Amino acid sequence: MSAEPLTPLSASTGRLPQGEEVKQNVASRQQRGKLWQASLLFSVFVGLLVLLLLAWNIVNDAFGGIAVQEAVEVEALTGGRELEELAQPELVAILEENLRSRVLRNLNREQPLAERDAENLIEVILFEIIKPEVVATFSLYDYLFNRAEIEAQLAQDFPRAELEFKSWLRWDFIVNPMSSNPIFAGVRTALLGTLWLLVLTILISFPLGLGAAIYLEEYQSDKIFDERKPVGRFFNRVIERSTSIISTNIYNLSGVPSIIYGMLGLAIFVRALEAFTSGSFFGANEGTTANGRTIISAALTMSLLVLPVVIISSQEAIKAVPSTLRQASLGLGATKWQTIWKIVLPNALPGILTGTILAISRAIGETAPLIVVGASTFIVTDPTSIFSKFTVLPIQIYNWTSRPQDEFRAIAAAAIITLLILLLSLNATAILLRNYLRSRRVS
Amino acid sequence: MAMKAIDPQYTADTKYALEVRNVDIYYSAFRAVKNCSFGMERNKITALIGPSGCGKSTVLRSLNRMNDLIAGARTEGEVLYRGQNLYDPDIDAVQVRRSIGMVFQKANPFPKSIYDNIAYGPRVNGWKGSKAEMDELVERALRGAVLWDEVKDDLKKSGLAISGGQQQRLCIARALAVEPEVILMDEPCSALDPISTLKIEELMFELRQRYSIVIVTHNMQQAARASDNTVFFLMDKEDRAGQIVEYGPTEQIFQSPKDERTEQYISGRFG
């Protein structure tokens, strides 16, 4: 340590603020901080605003008013009473009065009217006589705030139509299959397709991604073959090169646009491996012309898409396990694999699961690669195996939004809400799972 | 690959539990330690002292091949244990670490219960026995580390929920559970308060009856009062490699050092 005397401070030509100046200086620095804080708050509010607009936009379409016009009014049929109040013979009488004899004969051949119960008769009356028809659809905003205008318009165009509130998102919508009539169309086929895709993608990408992550994090620098022999050295070098190519490019892979993965899936899974992905190799014939455009092709494509993200997030979670724990385990005479299996993985699991679920829930909203891989746009049969034709919610939404009728726009909005609920519950699962695993791991 | 085993029956007439002969340790191209030769006596405490960067921790970690975990680390020379060079290419490091346990600078209990912390070592080493026998083993290890009375009612409690000093003794108990012969301690008290430190030192004296102990420490007083032999390391200014300056009974090193640099270091004039 040198004991050379310091140059006296006063000899320096610059100077620090003194006295009253200090107060002003601090005040102006604090001021600058406040400005930044305010602008940060502004960005948060912009985000919130966008979120609210999005939510409103969807709700505005998914709920609203419809104008229903009936070919014959109920009151005219029953003399002012509700259909539900009538007894079975009265309902039969109404049918016999209002239907032509040929139609009546057909109905009687199916099941004699006299033997049918009231519920069934009301259905027939609605379908054959009253024939309700949606003649106009209004958004929630118009329904709530432009009531007078709408009613005036209706009175002019459809004097007999009645304005009712309509929630397009309802239980029937979830459990009904696809239909060309928007009133009866539902998302069951698409929802089932999405769930199949979800489960298969998890089953394929989780073990593969986690496996790759463990290898890259824990084993990459290991020499598998005997270094003392030239052949062993050669193979060690080959493995080292290829794993280092993967580990340096994994981030690039996660940034590749999803449509490119779609093209890849089309070329490999749909075309080249058609014998396997169509199921014909396994003797599973669906009797449809799905070719390779099956759920399994889509799931494999989606797995390719999420694999880099699953690998990266698993790697991060594994990296976050303190190396002191690894050392403690190895120091007790545990092998590397025992250390990984008993110490590293249990501690990394919460992070790995959260990362994987978030990556997959992101992929479930993907449309582009599935269009390329050949998701069906109109399909009424539920998927029954991994070799079925399929459609998924985003495809269904995309399909409905591109139709001109207002009703399709409304059910598209309802389908969007269904998709959002599905995604939010997936993310919630991820969070709950993480919290559960963290709490179970005594810390 | 035929794996050589360390002969458990081997009893040479050497007084050393572990002996280092002409060891050089490299981190890639950099030689961190050179020409290291010394022996660690059976049932004695050997302290490795020296200023930061002198290679004493590196040497300690080479004694149970923990340096193998660092990419690029390489050890040349011989570390003899039961007449066997631990760096023989046919010796598996896993086998070495069971017999030569380690306690680290920062207490690192697993995020498991106290019981499972102790049981982990025996379990991974293929322990066979009943639940009652395992209970007994856990108790013996905790008693060995003078921790039993403090935690016997909380064996289900997390190993992280006890105090720092207790955690360090838990780590010692964990090491004892696999019945090692040598215990390596890398500055085990550097993060502890004086009372906990004293407890660990007392424990070391207890353990000396059954085990051979090697400890790295920065604390001169600790080396002076809690060791039988002392090895003093210093970095060679020219090639920045650590080397042994002096080695002998602690009393002699601290009271009549032969080398001027040792004298300067233990009297606190540099380092």
Side-chain angles (χ1 to χ4, degrees):
Chain A
M1 187 78 80
S2 70
E4 216 171 290
L6 282 166
T7 323
L9 284 172
S10 55
S12 162
T13 45
R15 63 181 198 85
L16 283 164
Q18 304 289 341
E20 193 61 22
E21 249 181 327
V22 174
K23 226 165 103 186
Q24 281 170 10
N25 179 279
V26 170
S28 82
R29 282 186 288 152
Q30 292 285 27
Q31 191 79 35
R32 221 171 308 153
K34 284 262 152 52
L35 274 175
W36 277 108
Q37 192 184 358
S39 56
L40 300 181
L41 184 63
F42 174 75
S43 348
V44 174
F45 272 118
V46 170
L48 185 67
L49 190 71
V50 170
L51 199 63
L52 286 176
L53 278 175
L54 180 76
W56 166 249
N57 193 21
I58 297 168
V59 169
N60 192 26
D61 277 338
F63 303 93
I66 48 168
V68 182
Q69 181 166 282
E70 292 161 351
V72 181
E73 295 211 16
V74 181
E75 285 77 12
L77 282 177
T78 60
R81 290 196 293 168
E82 293 292 328
L83 280 177
E84 284 77 11
E85 294 170 19
L86 299 180
Q88 198 261 0
E90 292 176 284
L91 291 169
V92 175
I94 291 176
L95 277 172
E96 280 169 351
E97 264 169 47
N98 291 281
L99 288 180
R100 275 177 296 163
S101 55
R102 193 169 52 84
V103 183
L104 273 176
R105 253 204 322 277
N106 283 340
L107 282 171
N108 272 320
R109 203 177 305 141
E110 274 173 35
Q111 192 184 2
L113 289 179
E115 291 170 19
R116 299 186 183 213
D117 59 9
E119 207 174 314
N120 182 294
L121 289 174
I122 291 174
E123 216 167 276
V124 176
I125 293 172
L126 279 175
F127 194 76
E128 297 285 347
I129 307 171
I130 302 176
K131 293 179 185 165
E133 186 193 2
V134 175
V135 288
T137 315
F138 306 97
S139 68
L140 187 62
Y141 178 83
D142 286 341
Y143 179 74
L144 290 178
F145 304 110
N146 290 340
R147 198 59 165 275
E149 212 170 294
I150 290 174
E151 272 165 0
Q153 183 75 26
L154 276 180
Q156 189 183 339
D157 294 349
F158 308 99
R160 283 191 302 115
E162 268 175 48
L163 188 62
E164 320 173 345
F165 177 77
K166 170 88 177 170
S167 163
W168 293 94
L169 182 68
R170 62 201 189 286
W171 185 242
D172 284 354
F173 179 72
I174 306 292
V175 296
N176 278 358
M178 176 68 169
S179 162
S180 54
N181 183 344
I183 304 292
F184 302 118
V187 288
R188 187 177 74 191
T189 325
L191 193 60
L192 284 173
T194 290
L195 291 175
W196 271 89
L197 188 62
L198 178 79
V199 171
L200 281 176
T201 307
I202 290 176
L203 287 181
I204 297 167
S205 66
F206 182 68
L208 278 178
L210 180 56
I214 294 174
Y215 190 90
L216 292 176
E217 274 307 306
E218 302 282 341
Y219 285 109
Q220 203 183 356
S221 54
D222 273 23
K223 310 264 188 282
I224 297 177
F225 298 101
D226 195 344
E227 270 289 294
R228 286 172 288 182
K229 297 190 186 108
V231 187
R233 267 206 299 281
F234 172 75
F235 279 114
N236 281 340
R237 205 60 49 79
V238 170
I239 293 174
E240 208 174 305
R241 281 285 157 78
S242 39
T243 53
S244 84
I245 288 174
I246 303 238
S247 66
T248 49
N249 282 295
I250 200 95
Y251 283 89
N252 295 338
L253 280 176
S254 73
V256 171
S258 57
I259 188 118
I260 312 269
Y261 282 104
M263 312 287 276
L264 188 69
L266 177 68
I268 298 178
F269 303 128
V270 178
R271 296 272 160 73
L273 299 177
E274 188 190 324
F276 302 101
T277 53
S278 66
S280 58
F281 181 80
F282 307 101
N285 203 333
E286 288 276 309
T288 54
T289 48
N291 299 330
R293 300 190 301 273
T294 52
I295 295 180
I296 187 70
S297 293
L300 287 167
T301 309
M302 277 304 184
S303 300
L304 281 189
L305 177 71
V306 297
L307 208 47
V309 187
V310 172
I311 293 176
I312 290 170
S313 58
S314 303
Q315 269 185 298
E316 295 298 327
I318 290 172
K319 235 182 258 178
V321 176
S323 65
T324 55
L325 291 184
R326 287 191 183 84
Q327 289 182 7
S329 170
L330 293 166
L332 289 167
T335 61
K336 190 162 195 166
W337 176 246
Q338 286 178 315
T339 302
I340 293 169
W341 185 249
K342 299 191 170 194
I343 300 295
V344 176
L345 287 185
N347 283 290
L349 202 59
I352 292 171
L353 287 180
T354 329
T356 306
I357 294 179
L358 291 183
I360 286 170
S361 76
R362 178 88 223 169
I364 286 310
E366 279 286 352
T367 325
L370 293 181
I371 293 180
V372 182
V373 172
S376 316
T377 46
F378 189 93
I379 178 172
V380 285
T381 48
D382 293 342
T384 51
S385 81
I386 58 173
F387 304 118
S388 300
K389 286 202 289 186
F390 71 102
T391 188
V392 290
L393 282 169
I395 299 270
Q396 195 78 92
I397 293 165
Y398 173 72
N399 176 24
W400 279 337
T401 48
S402 55
R403 304 230 189 156
Q405 297 96 319
D406 284 346
E407 291 82 7
F408 280 108
R409 209 184 56 219
I411 58 173
I416 288 171
I417 294 179
T418 315
L419 180 61
L420 284 180
I421 290 172
L422 183 70
L423 293 183
L424 289 179
S425 45
L426 259 185
N427 294 358
T429 312
I431 292 168
L432 291 175
L433 203 59
R434 186 187 58 197
N435 292 347
Y436 169 70
L437 288 172
R438 285 225 177 115
S439 68
R440 217 190 44 158
R441 189 189 63 169
V442 269
S443 54
Chain B
M1 191 159 64
M3 199 71 76
K4 271 196 200 167
I6 299 169
D7 181 7
Q9 302 302 323
Y10 182 93
T11 44
D13 42 8
T14 169
K15 59 176 179 173
Y16 297 130
L18 266 175
E19 190 180 353
V20 172
R21 283 192 193 155
N22 301 320
V23 161
D24 284 5
I25 304 172
Y26 294 84
Y27 291 127
S28 299
F30 172 65
R31 185 163 65 167
V33 172
K34 66 178 181 185
N35 288 332
C36 206
S37 295
F38 67 102
M40 284 143 274
E41 284 183 78
R42 233 175 265 286
N43 296 53
K44 291 276 168 64
I45 300 172
T46 306
L48 312 185
I49 62 168
S52 300
C54 69
K56 55 191 188 302
S57 287
T58 303
V59 169
L60 186 82
R61 282 202 308 271
S62 75
L63 299 179
N64 71 342
R65 296 190 51 180
M66 286 305 268
N67 278 341
D68 291 15
L69 307 175
I70 300 166
R74 197 171 82 250
T75 305
E76 283 173 9
E78 291 187 322
V79 177
L80 293 173
Y81 171 72
R82 290 185 179 279
Q84 174 70 55
N85 177 15
L86 298 182
Y87 283 88
D88 187 302
D90 289 335
I91 288 280
D92 192 322
V94 170
Q95 193 186 349
V96 173
R97 293 180 194 133
R98 227 218 77 182
S99 312
I100 306 177
M102 190 153 199
V103 176
F104 298 84
Q105 183 167 3
K106 205 169 154 275
N108 53 357
F110 300 122
K112 299 170 181 279
S113 70
I114 291 173
Y115 186 97
D116 286 337
N117 261 283
I118 307 285
Y120 181 81
R123 278 176 188 152
V124 295
N125 281 291
W127 191 80
K128 287 189 186 70
S130 66
K131 169 86 172 65
E133 284 167 310
M134 177 59 94
D135 291 349
E136 197 193 308
L137 177 63
V138 169
E139 178 175 345
R140 208 162 359 118
L142 285 169
R143 279 192 193 283
V146 201
L147 191 60
W148 175 252
D149 290 333
E150 291 163 62
V151 299
K152 64 179 177 220
D153 300 323
D154 300 312
L155 293 180
K156 290 271 170 290
K157 209 158 107 179
S158 164
L160 296 167
I162 51 182
S163 79
Q166 288 175 326
Q167 285 187 19
Q168 195 59 294
R169 277 181 284 145
L170 176 62
C171 293
I172 293 173
R174 184 173 66 182
L176 298 182
V178 294
E179 292 156 12
E181 194 168 322
V182 183
I183 300 170
L184 310 176
M185 298 185 170
D186 190 357
E187 298 184 41
C189 304
S190 64
L192 301 181
D193 62 272
I195 294 170
S196 306
T197 302
L198 205 64
K199 278 194 182 158
I200 303 259
E201 285 175 13
E202 281 166 3
L203 174 59
M204 279 161 53
F205 277 116
E206 290 271 313
L207 295 175
R208 190 171 60 165
Q209 293 164 10
R210 298 189 52 197
Y211 309 91
S212 311
I213 297 173
V214 186
I215 178 172
V216 162
T217 179
H218 261 126
N219 182 332
M220 286 304 102
Q221 290 95 327
Q222 183 171 47
R225 66 178 178 247
S227 73
D228 302 301
N229 294 308
T230 298
V231 188
F232 174 53
F233 286 82
L234 200 58
M235 187 168 67
D236 185 333
K237 290 226 169 73
E238 271 163 36
D239 57 5
R240 306 185 62 77
Q243 56 182 356
I244 294 179
V245 172
E246 196 169 346
Y247 131 64
T250 300
E251 220 163 280
Q252 181 213 313
I253 297 275
F254 276 85
Q255 279 163 20
S256 50
K258 294 195 185 91
D259 197 294
E260 194 194 339
R261 291 169 294 177
T262 315
E263 207 256 312
Q264 286 180 340
Y265 182 71
I266 59 175
S267 60
R269 255 176 280 160
F270 76 90

